[in-house]
Amino acid sequence: MLEDHPTGSTAVLPHNRRPVPGRPAEARRTVERVVKERCRAHALTCPPETVEDALLVTSELATNALVHGGGITGFDVDVDSGGVRVSVSDRSDTLPVAARTGDEDGSARPGGRGWPIVCRLARDVRVAELPRGGKCITAVVPLH
């Protein structure tokens, strides 16, 4: 799954004007508020499906940063005619991969579905190493 999305050696971090959320719920609330504000300000049509997809992508990226990345170290969201752009940074240099969700005996294990969900819902997903360590994942959910 990772090979389908570009990676880079360094990230250009967006100007972060908002506090970094500590939990996925805080990140989702920020995305919901910013999408509403930006769509109104720029006279963009932001269908409910786009908002739902952006919230799910946000939840997955934030949760993965907490569970696998040592915490959320950066967060930004923006909206333009191309879509909803969500960026989440964490402390880990490990690149995301789609985990196997079943054992050899065929029994299902929880987890491992977040990254494929992000890659399916977002039009563009980029993973970039940060200059001081860690990574930034940016996903763009298209306006439907």
Side-chain angles (χ1 to χ4, degrees):
M1 185 65 67
L2 180 61
E3 60 276 355
D4 294 340
H5 300 283
T7 60
S9 59
T10 60
V12 176
L13 295 177
H15 177 56
N16 197 347
R17 300 171 301 277
R18 294 170 208 83
V20 175
R23 299 179 312 179
E26 294 170 23
R28 287 190 304 271
R29 282 192 296 272
T30 300
V31 168
E32 200 163 30
R33 181 180 47 76
V34 170
V35 168
K36 183 184 284 187
E37 290 171 359
R38 298 285 164 81
C39 287
R40 188 178 318 125
H42 298 293
L44 296 171
T45 301
C46 296
E49 304 85 37
T50 298
V51 177
E52 291 169 10
D53 289 352
L55 292 175
L56 182 53
V57 166
T58 299
S59 187
E60 293 297 340
L61 292 178
T63 299
N64 287 346
L66 290 168
V67 173
H68 305 291
I72 302 169
T73 59
F75 180 82
D76 195 51
V77 58
D78 198 11
V79 181
D80 60 26
S81 61
V84 180
R85 177 174 288 104
V86 178
S87 297
V88 178
S89 301
D90 63 38
R91 291 180 176 87
S92 175
D93 295 327
T94 303
L95 299 177
V97 294
R100 291 184 25 209
T101 57
D103 293 322
E104 278 72 43
D105 65 4
S107 63
R109 292 187 333 209
R113 293 174 182 84
W115 185 242
I117 288 170
V118 169
C119 294
R120 178 151 186 161
L121 294 177
R123 177 191 66 231
D124 185 23
V125 179
R126 297 183 184 263
V127 180
E129 298 171 345
L130 298 174
R132 294 187 179 152
K135 66 184 169 299
C136 178
I137 300 177
T138 300
V140 179
V141 177
L143 299 176
H144 295 284

